[in-house]
């Protein structure tokens, strides 16, 4: 009874302190009352500590000489064993900054560390407190939050803290950008600069998340000037590590390079330069194309094809020899025992057409054409007739193979239709639909090849520089979405990577808006479960170790 009586007496005293401070005109005269409230944070009574958690921040601004003592005692309450005390203390943290904004960065830092709380009600209180401070001073709050992500100079001792901070920014801050980022241009620039500083050590999923967010800002929107779009490209180039010496055995760099090129495509369409990407591909990647992992080759060639319409004439001239060399490799001069990789041929022919359209006379010395532009680079006085004969024989050979494959695939469509008519189970019908869809894609691939080769037999060919050819995998995006395994970055159907004559119909990327498997695979780690084993770095396609990418400081 004595303990209960003492507890009740202590709580009653706290209420008295609070009432006196509330009524006093000159609260500084009651410093001992506030000191007693702070001391109550050490009480063995749960109710007393909950009451202290309410009163400490309420009168904090009136006693600057006790500010350190008040904050440290309140932090202790945030770490109390009892959930009710912790939640009450967390809810009170924003009040420390209401009239004393100089404490805001410190309080945001404390709240960020509390994001690792496991109890939902506690984490919800942290989220609400942080959003309250973001609304009070978005610039200072964001700067304090991002310090837990920028972990190059000061590595985070708690990887879970970094992840939880990222989740909060992704799930709570980004969706409220219209409300929080004001004044708009100034705050969008501020968060852009913070994101740039955070990109030196990120996973593929994190990088894509940041790029998607930046794309959504007015700063980089559809009306943004060319230099802003180029700024995004430079961020992607930095992540692709285009200044690094290439090592063909570095699978992480290959994955990152191909995925970054894919992410850059929309910006090339908006006028940004692809020059640095193409220069790196031409110098480091295409010469060792044969040594790349098989499953990466098709992604690389598809990305190269899609970026080719946006290539400048000078870059087109530089990369054409490498493209022609690969074309000759995959367009045999005569029939051989090897299967023809029609997917590769489609990609390379499309790339060839668009590059040659920009630098037509470069093909004179590569393919023996007689294109006249009036420039010395026409090289019309030299004899390249053997090149023309070789190239057109290869074109004829691949046309013959494509026509034969079209015949087989057309027969396959008929067989699929018969099989569908007799199929009884849903599983069988689904399998047949997939086979039919793959066969249809194969037909598009072969028909595209014929459309592109037939224009190249003339000694003065007309190169395609418009959108008349719809790449086979781009059509596939209109088809029903594949199973969740494929969509999340799982294995392609058998044969999809090589695009051989019997399997030319297989899709290389899967349907949907994000058609690059490497990008899809990056999403697997970004959830509350951790990032592919909980560590950045090479595990789980983590895009390498610390220090990757360019410094944007």
């Amino acid at each position: 009874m004595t303990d209960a009586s003492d507890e009740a007496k202590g709580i009653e005293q706290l209420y008295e302190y609070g009432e006196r401070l509330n009524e006093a005109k000159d609260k500084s005269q009651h410093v001992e009352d506030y000191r007693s409230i702070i001391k109550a944070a050490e009480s063995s009574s749960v109710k007393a500590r909950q009451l202290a958690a309410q009163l400490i921040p309420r009168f904090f601004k009136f006693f600057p000489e006790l500010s350190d003592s008040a904050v440290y005692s309140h932090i202790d309450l945030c770490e109390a064993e009892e959930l009710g005390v912790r939640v009450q203390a967390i809810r009170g943290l924003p009040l420390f900054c209401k009239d004393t904004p100089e404490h805001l960065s410190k309080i945001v830092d404390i709240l960020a560390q509390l994001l690792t709380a496991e109890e939902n009600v506690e984490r919800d209180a942290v989220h609400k407190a942080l959003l309250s401070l973001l609304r009070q001073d978005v610039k200072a709050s964001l700067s304090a939050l991002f310090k837990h992500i920028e972990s190059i100079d000061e590595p985070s001792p708690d990887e879970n803290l970094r992840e939880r901070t990222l989740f909060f920014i992704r799930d709570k801050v980004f969706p409220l950008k219209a409300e929080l980022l004001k004044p708009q241009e100034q705050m969008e620039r501020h968060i852009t600069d913070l994101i740039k500083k955070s990109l030196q050590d990120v996973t593929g999923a994190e990088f894509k998340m940041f790029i998607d967010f930046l794309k959504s800002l007015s700063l980089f929107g559809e009306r943004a000037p060319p230099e802003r779009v180029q700024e995004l490209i430079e961020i992607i180039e930095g992540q692709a590590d285009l200044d690094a010496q290439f090592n063909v055995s570095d699978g992480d760099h290959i994955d990152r390079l191909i995925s970054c090129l894919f992410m850059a495509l929309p910006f090339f369409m908006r006028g940004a330069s692809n020059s640095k990407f193409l220069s790196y591909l031409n110098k480091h990647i295409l010469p060792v194309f044969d040594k790349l992992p098989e499953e990466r080759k098709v992604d690389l060639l598809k990305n190269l094809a899609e970026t080719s319409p946006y290539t400048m004439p000078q870059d087109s001239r530089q990369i054409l020899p490498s493209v022609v060399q690969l074309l000759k490799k995959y367009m045999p001069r005569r029939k051989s025992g090897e299967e023809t990789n029609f997917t590769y041929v489609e990609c390379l022919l499309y790339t060839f057409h668009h590059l040659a359209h920009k630098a037509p006379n470069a093909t004179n010395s590569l393919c023996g054409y007689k294109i006249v532009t009036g420039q010395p680079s026409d090289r019309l006085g030299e004899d390249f007739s053997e090149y023309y004969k070789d190239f057109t024989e290869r074109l004829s050979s691949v046309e013959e193979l494509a026509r034969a494959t079209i015949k087989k695939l057309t027969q396959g469509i008929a067989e699929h239709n018969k099989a569908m008519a007799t199929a009884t189970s849903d599983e069988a019908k689904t399998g047949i639909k997939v086979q039919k869809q793959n066969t249809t894609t194969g037909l598009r691939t072969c028909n595209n090849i014929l459309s592109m080769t037939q224009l190249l037999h003339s000694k003065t060919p007309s190169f395609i520089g418009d959108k008349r050819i719809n790449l086979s995998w781009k059509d596939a995006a209109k088809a029903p979405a594949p199973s969740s395994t494929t969509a999340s970055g799982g294995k392609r159907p058998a044969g999809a990577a090589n695009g051989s004559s019997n399997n030319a119909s297989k899709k290389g990327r899967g349907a949907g808006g994000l058609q690059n498997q490497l990008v899809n695979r990056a999403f697997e780690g970004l959830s509350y479960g951790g990032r592919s084993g909980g560590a950045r770095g090479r595990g789980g396609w983590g895009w390498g170790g610390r220090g990757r990418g360019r410094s944007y400081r």
Side-chain angles (χ1 to χ4, degrees), residues 236-489:
I236 298 173
E237 288 172 349
Q239 199 62 213
D241 234 357
L242 298 184
D243 294 321
Q245 184 63 41
F246 181 69
N247 181 354
V248 74
S249 63
D250 187 349
D252 180 83
H253 190 193
I254 295 170
D255 286 355
R256 186 156 27 89
L257 177 68
I258 294 172
S259 292
C260 285
L261 179 55
F262 180 72
M263 277 188 263
L265 286 173
F267 306 115
F268 298 151
M269 295 177 190
R270 291 174 59 187
S273 171
N274 62 5
S275 181
K276 192 164 184 178
F277 266 106
L278 290 181
S279 176
Y280 193 86
L281 290 177
N282 192 41
K283 183 178 179 181
H284 297 285
I285 311 299
L286 296 184
V288 294
F289 183 79
D290 286 349
K291 297 179 181 178
L292 295 179
E294 287 299 320
E295 65 273 18
R296 301 294 175 264
K297 290 179 179 178
V298 70
D299 286 304
L300 176 63
L301 290 181
K302 286 182 176 182
N303 287 339
L304 180 61
E306 289 189 50
T307 191
S308 62
Y310 314 104
T311 304
M312 297 297 290
Q314 184 177 353
D315 296 318
S316 299
R317 190 176 297 278
Q318 291 296 321
I319 200 171
L320 262 171
S322 298
V323 171
V324 170
Q325 188 174 348
L326 283 177
L327 255 179
K328 289 182 177 180
K329 176 177 176 58
Y330 293 105
M331 291 196 311
R333 189 168 183 175
R334 297 177 183 84
K335 285 185 179 180
S336 64
E338 297 181 8
E339 292 180 324
T340 298
N341 192 317
F342 288 116
T343 304
Y344 289 10
V345 173
E346 180 192 13
C347 292
L348 289 165
L349 279 171
Y350 187 89
T351 302
F352 174 77
H353 267 281
H354 280 277
L355 297 181
H357 181 75
K358 300 289 181 63
N361 66 352
T363 62
N364 291 353
S365 60
L366 296 172
C367 310
Y369 291 135
K370 295 287 186 181
I371 295 171
V372 179
T373 66
Q375 299 296 318
S377 53
D378 289 348
R379 299 176 67 177
L380 296 177
E382 300 177 57
D383 183 11
F384 298 112
S385 56
E386 281 300 315
Y387 292 174
Y388 176 76
K389 181 182 178 183
D390 174 82
F391 193 64
T392 51
E393 283 183 7
R394 292 175 188 277
L395 292 172
S396 298
S397 176
V398 81
E399 285 169 351
E400 185 179 344
L401 291 167
R403 290 190 183 98
T405 302
I406 287 172
K407 186 176 180 180
K408 290 178 184 178
L409 293 174
T410 303
Q411 291 171 351
I413 291 283
E415 291 169 6
H416 296 327
N417 290 336
K418 288 179 184 177
M420 182 63 79
T422 58
T424 54
S425 69
D426 289 340
E427 184 179 356
K429 289 179 181 179
T430 300
I432 294 167
K433 283 180 182 178
V434 171
Q435 290 175 355
K436 186 175 179 180
Q437 183 179 320
N438 290 337
T439 303
T440 302
T441 304
L443 283 170
R444 283 196 295 266
T445 299
C446 291
N447 281 317
N448 278 346
I449 288 171
L450 291 176
S451 296
M452 289 187 284
T453 55
Q454 287 166 6
L455 296 169
L456 299 177
H457 287 278
S458 167
K459 285 212 169 187
T460 54
S462 173
F463 300 116
I464 297 171
D466 55 24
K467 297 180 179 179
R468 75 183 81 166
I469 298 294
N470 202 357
L471 292 162
S472 59
W473 63 90
K474 303 293 283 186
D475 278 347
K478 299 174 185 176
S483 68
S484 58
T485 302
T486 305
S488 63

